[in-house]
Amino acid sequence: RTDARATLGFDEAMERVRLFEEAGADIVFLEAPQTLEEMKMHCEAAPNTPKLANMLEGGKTPILPPVELQKMGYDIAAYPLTLLSTAVNAM
């Protein structure tokens, strides 16, 4: 996981993602990519490692359905507020 995008910029975050893959990370996660292009670049930076997309409603990352994320190169998608909202509404 890298949060470098917010404080050190996108290029530094991409370098960290590449280094994580080289080091043998099980999964790579870039916190808060802000555009579809950044999301694609994240996937391209670690082609051999599963990638996590965090689909947080109201966050900075564009929200995409699982099929689109998979096409882009993501292997895992988290929709934390969607699940929470569903649970609260069910109570």
Side-chain angles (χ1 to χ4, degrees):
R1 172 189 178 127
T2 181
D3 294 289
R5 168 77 178 83
T7 55
L8 301 173
F10 185 73
D11 290 339
E12 176 64 23
M14 288 296 88
E15 179 62 18
R16 291 176 183 211
V17 166
R18 284 187 284 277
L19 291 171
F20 294 159
E21 180 171 72
E22 286 179 22
D26 293 322
I27 298 170
V28 292
F29 170 56
L30 168 65
E31 174 64 29
Q34 296 180 9
T35 66
L36 294 175
E37 186 61 28
E38 286 186 2
M39 294 173 74
K40 290 175 188 173
M41 291 173 71
H42 172 225
C43 291
E44 292 166 359
N48 301 308
T49 303
K51 276 123 346 246
L52 168 67
N54 189 22
M55 301 284 95
L56 183 64
E57 291 88 344
K60 295 180 180 182
T61 303
I63 304 294
L64 298 173
V67 170
E68 292 301 315
L69 291 168
Q70 185 177 29
K71 286 179 187 176
M72 191 177 287
Y74 286 96
D75 303 284
I76 305 165
Y79 295 83
L81 292 183
T82 302
L83 296 173
L84 179 63
S85 296
T86 301
V88 169
N89 288 331
M91 293 181 184

